[in-house]
Amino acid sequence: MTDAPQTPQPTPVPDRATPVGAARARWVWTAPEVWTERMLTALEQGVRGGRWYTLMDKVYAVPTLRAAFARVKANHGAAGVDHVTVAMYEARLDANLATLSAALRDGTYRPQAIRRHWIPKGPRERRPLGIPTVRDRVVQTALRLVVEPIFDVTFAPHSYGFRPGRGAKDALRRVDALLRAGYLYVVDADLQAYFDTIPHAPLRARVASKVSDSRVLTLIDAFLQQPIFEGVAQWTVDEGTPQGAVISPLLANLYLDPLDHVMAAAGFEMVRYADDFVVLCRTAEEAQQALAIVHRWTEAAGLRLHPEKTHLVHLQQPGGFDFLGYHFERRYRLPRKKSLAKLKDAVRQKTRRTHGHSLAVIIADLNPILRGWFEYFKHCRWTAFVPIDAWVRMRLRCILRRRLGKRGRGIRTAHHRWPRRFFTAHGLFSLTHAHAAVRQSFAR
C-alpha cells in the first residue's frame, strides 16, 4: 500500500526586510512599501512551484494603499460613477484608506461600475474608455504594485508597452536598428479590438499560473466583471479588460506574452508595444512564415487579426507601414497621417480666429504643444516639419487679419505683412529650426 500524496505547503511571501542591496538596485522601480530585498531575491531566484501565495495582505496594507493613492493623484484622472474626485477622496484620505483596507481584508470590498467615455480614435472612429472610481483606481494600483514584478520578470525583451523603464521610443529605436540591419520585410499586424476581446477564462489561467493567492485571483475576477455604465444603461461584459482601468495594461501584456516567446523561439524579430506590434524579417518567405505563426496563435487564443490592417510590407516599395505614430517608408521616417491630424486639431483649438488674447499669449499657449510634438517626432525627415511650420504661421496670420477687419487668409499680402521673422521675433517655436539644431548636435 502506497502513501497518499502529500499536499505541497504554500510558499509564503517573505516578510519585510531591509530595502537596500543588490536586488533593490536591479528592481529600483518596484514599490519599497511592498517589495523588500528578500522578496526581490525570491523573485529573481524563483519561488517553490513557480507560484506566489501570500499576497493579499500586501495589497490591503495601508502603506501600499497610500503609495497607490499617490500614483492615482499624479495621473489627474476624472471622477467615476460616484462623482468623487481625487481632491474629495484626499480630503478624508486617512479615513478612506482605513475603510478600504478593512473592506479588502474582510472580503466585503466590491468594485463599483465603470463610467464609459468615448474618445476620438481617428476621423470616423471612437474608442471606449472606462473610468473607474477613485476608490477602485487606488485598489487596482495597489494590486498592480504587488503583482506586476511577478509577471514582468519573465516578459520578453521585445515587449515595450506599459512596462517600467521602457517606452515607445525604445520600441522605435529597436525597429530602426533592425531596418538598418537589413530587415526590410515587415509583418504589420493589427489586433482587432484587442482590449475588448481578451477571453476571460484563459486570461485567468495565465494569472493563476503564477499567483495562487485565491483572494487576489478573486479580486482580479471582480475587476474583469465590473459593470459598465453609460448614460442610463448598465451591463456586464464577459470578455475584455476596460481601457482606462489601471490593471488593464498589465493583464493585456500578460495575455500576449506567450506570443512574444513563440516568436522569439522561432527566431523572428518582433517588436511589440501593447497590442501594436511588427515582425521584421530579411526575406519575403520569412515574413510569410511569421504571419502564419501569428495568425495561428491569435486564432487559438481567441483573438482576431484585422483583415484590412494586417499585411506584409517591403520597405523599399511604396506604401510602408505605421508604428507608434511614425510612418516608415524606404529610407524615411515621417509622422503618420493620424499623428499630423491630432497635432493640427490641437493647434486649431489654440488658434481660433476669434481668439481674444494677445499674440504673445497665444504663442505662449501654443509653444508647449509644438515642443512636445517635436520631442517625439524629432527623428523624422526634415521635410516633414517645413509645411507644418508654414501652416501654423498661416493660422496666426488669419487671427491678425481678422483683427484688422479682413477675411480669409490673404496669402500674398499676409506673408509680406507678417513674414516668418515676425513670428520668430515673437518667440514662436519652429519645428524646422529645432530639427536643424538636433541634427547639428548629433553631428558633433
Side-chain angles (χ1 to χ4, degrees):
M1 182 175 179
T2 59
D3 293 334
Q6 296 295 315
T7 302
Q9 293 300 310
T11 303
V13 174
D15 293 329
R16 280 167 167 46
T18 306
V20 294
R24 168 62 57 198
R26 290 189 293 272
W27 292 87
V28 66
W29 58 267
T30 58
E33 296 83 0
V34 178
W35 286 91
T36 66
E37 182 76 12
R38 290 175 60 193
M39 290 176 64
L40 292 173
T41 301
L43 181 68
E44 293 183 336
Q45 296 177 353
V47 293
R48 186 185 306 170
R51 295 183 179 183
W52 293 71
Y53 288 85
T54 310
L55 293 171
M56 191 61 186
D57 61 324
K58 308 296 186 292
V59 176
Y60 65 65
V62 172
T64 305
L65 294 175
R66 193 175 298 278
F69 173 77
R71 299 194 182 199
V72 170
K73 180 182 177 180
N75 287 332
H76 305 290
V81 294
D82 61 356
H83 306 293
V84 175
T85 64
V86 172
M88 293 165 64
Y89 194 89
E90 187 179 23
R92 299 185 67 252
L93 185 60
D94 290 342
N96 284 331
L97 294 184
T99 302
L100 189 55
S101 176
L104 288 166
R105 184 174 58 252
D106 61 27
T108 59
Y109 168 81
R110 298 291 183 274
Q112 296 173 278
I114 293 175
R115 180 168 66 87
R116 172 161 284 188
H117 175 69
W118 293 87
I119 59 175
K121 186 180 178 182
R124 294 176 295 276
E125 296 181 78
R126 294 191 305 163
R127 171 180 295 171
L129 182 68
I131 304 177
T133 62
V134 174
R135 163 182 170 268
D136 291 342
R137 294 206 297 273
V138 170
V139 177
Q140 287 193 25
T141 303
L143 179 62
R144 182 168 183 168
L145 292 178
V146 173
V147 303
E148 183 171 33
I150 295 172
F151 299 120
D152 192 87
V153 70
T154 56
F155 280 168
H158 60 252
S159 169
Y160 294 92
F162 304 111
R163 293 185 61 191
R166 291 164 169 259
K169 288 188 177 182
D170 299 307
L172 289 166
R173 276 190 285 268
R174 181 58 182 160
V175 168
D176 188 61
L178 290 168
L179 293 176
R180 293 178 186 274
Y183 290 79
L184 302 181
Y185 293 85
V186 182
V187 178
D188 184 10
D190 185 279
L191 290 171
Q192 193 168 8
Y194 172 61
F195 279 82
D196 296 330
T197 59
I198 301 174
H200 284 178
L203 175 59
R204 291 188 187 102
R206 286 174 194 172
V207 175
S209 68
K210 292 190 176 184
V211 173
S212 289
D213 188 321
S214 61
R215 291 189 295 172
V216 168
L217 297 176
T218 299
L219 185 59
I220 292 175
D221 268 345
F223 286 129
L224 289 175
Q225 296 168 3
Q226 275 182 276
I228 307 294
F229 185 82
E230 182 178 6
V232 296
Q234 181 171 309
W235 67 97
T236 302
V237 297
D238 55 7
E239 63 179 8
T241 179
Q243 296 186 63
V246 178
I247 200 70
S248 290
L250 176 60
L251 296 177
N253 269 336
L254 177 62
Y255 196 69
L256 284 181
D257 183 57
L259 173 61
D260 294 339
H261 293 286
V262 165
M263 298 304 290
F268 291 109
E269 294 287 355
M270 177 172 166
V271 181
R272 182 172 69 83
Y273 189 95
D275 60 331
D276 195 0
F277 65 91
V278 289
V279 186
L280 296 99
C281 307
R282 291 189 181 275
T283 67
E285 292 74 20
E286 287 182 3
Q288 290 168 354
Q289 293 170 11
L291 179 57
I293 293 175
V294 170
H295 190 273
R296 286 196 299 269
W297 188 92
T298 52
E299 190 174 57
L303 304 174
R304 297 186 298 272
L305 288 174
H306 199 296
E308 297 176 1
K309 297 180 180 179
T310 300
H311 53 280
L312 301 180
V313 174
H314 188 327
L315 198 68
Q316 299 303 329
Q317 296 176 355
F321 69 96
D322 294 335
F323 186 60
L324 300 181
Y326 274 77
H327 178 73
F328 295 84
E329 187 168 354
R330 293 189 172 91
R331 296 183 296 109
Y332 305 129
R333 289 166 293 181
L334 301 168
R336 66 181 297 195
K337 291 180 180 179
K338 285 186 178 181
S339 302
L340 283 174
K342 287 182 180 179
L343 172 65
K344 288 189 173 183
D345 285 344
V347 171
R348 286 190 184 97
Q349 293 295 321
K350 304 291 185 181
T351 57
R352 298 185 184 280
R353 297 188 186 187
T354 55
H355 204 302
H357 290 95
S358 68
L359 182 63
V361 170
I362 297 173
I363 289 177
D365 201 22
L366 194 59
N367 279 345
I369 296 174
L370 299 174
R371 286 196 181 95
W373 192 88
F374 175 77
E375 183 59 31
Y376 188 79
F377 290 101
K378 63 185 177 184
H379 299 290
C380 286
R381 181 174 167 79
W382 67 271
T383 54
F385 303 113
V386 175
I388 302 174
D389 279 339
W391 181 81
V392 172
R393 291 194 297 269
M394 178 274 295
R395 295 284 304 178
L396 295 174
R397 289 185 185 109
C398 288
I399 295 175
L400 297 173
R401 280 181 57 81
R402 176 66 177 260
R403 292 176 180 178
L404 294 177
K406 298 181 180 180
R407 296 183 179 181
R409 299 181 182 179
I411 294 176
R412 293 180 181 176
T413 57
H415 274 268
H416 292 296
R417 187 180 188 106
W418 302 290
R420 183 184 311 171
R421 63 178 179 272
F422 170 85
F423 296 105
T424 300
H426 280 74
L428 178 65
F429 181 80
S430 168
L431 302 172
T432 307
H433 292 165
H435 184 262
V438 167
R439 291 187 65 184
Q440 289 177 359
S441 65
F442 286 162
R444 289 196 295 268

